[in-house]
Amino acid sequence: MNQKIETLNESDLELLSKSREWLAGHFDDVHEYQNLSAKLKLVQTILDNEWVSNEETFKLQALGICLGDALTQEIEELSWVAVEDQYGRDPALRWLNTSVLVFPRTSVSKRVEAGVKVDIYEMFGGFQKAIHSALKNQA
């Protein structure tokens, strides 16, 4: 099955919303979630303090959603889409209307579940470099 890229449906939007609500609930003022550096600091704090176990998939993937939201703030041409393939349906970030896709939702959870120490700032920079590299290769 080929990848099918679609706009987010109601179920996708609900998943993103629940993830963001859980994350924003860590702040005294939920509006702090709108701040890019606060997002990254929150994710790193949760990881460093091991507030989420490697078995809490929803919460680990919410950390990835937060990473994705931070990327969309930094790179305005990115937007959330849904990608469906033989493995299922997953939210992803797409550069404008190109085939350049990144999947931040599972990026944190896969590393934590594998026992890899996550540096969210390093991942954030790595995603930015990978996106720009993919765009150069498409040109």
Side-chain angles (χ1 to χ4, degrees):
M1 176 180 185
N2 292 331
Q3 281 186 335
K4 184 177 171 184
I5 302 170
E6 302 177 334
T7 59
L8 299 171
N9 64 26
E10 190 173 316
S11 178
D12 301 322
L13 292 169
E14 184 177 332
L15 171 69
L16 294 176
S17 178
K18 285 183 178 183
S19 297
R20 291 173 180 139
E21 285 173 22
W22 177 73
L23 291 156
H26 288 82
F27 294 109
D28 292 331
D29 176 0
V30 295
H31 295 98
E32 285 184 66
Y33 184 75
Q34 302 306 317
N35 181 290
L36 174 62
S37 62
K39 281 183 178 76
L40 297 176
K41 183 177 180 183
L42 172 63
V43 172
Q44 194 63 58
T45 299
I46 290 171
L47 292 169
D48 289 348
N49 290 291
E50 298 178 358
W51 292 342
V52 177
S53 78
N54 62 356
E55 296 173 1
E56 294 180 279
T57 304
F58 169 80
K59 291 179 180 179
L60 291 172
Q61 290 183 352
L63 299 178
I65 297 294
C66 188
L67 173 61
D69 285 346
L71 285 165
T72 63
Q73 279 182 264
E74 185 69 16
I75 305 172
E76 293 178 6
E77 295 84 0
L78 289 176
S79 60
W80 285 103
V81 295
V83 178
E84 194 166 336
D85 60 19
Q86 68 269 23
Y87 303 107
R89 185 178 178 93
D90 204 28
L93 295 177
R94 178 170 65 170
W95 176 272
L96 298 173
N97 286 321
T98 69
S99 61
V100 175
L101 296 166
V102 292
F103 294 85
R105 177 177 173 229
T106 55
S107 63
V108 175
S109 62
K110 286 180 180 179
R111 286 166 176 79
V112 171
E113 290 165 355
V116 175
K117 178 121 172 90
V118 174
D119 181 329
I120 201 67
Y121 300 99
E122 186 177 293
M123 283 183 70
F124 184 71
F127 267 114
Q128 289 180 51
K129 287 179 188 174
I131 292 164
H132 291 298
S133 176
L135 292 171
K136 284 181 186 175
N137 292 336
Q138 270 199 347

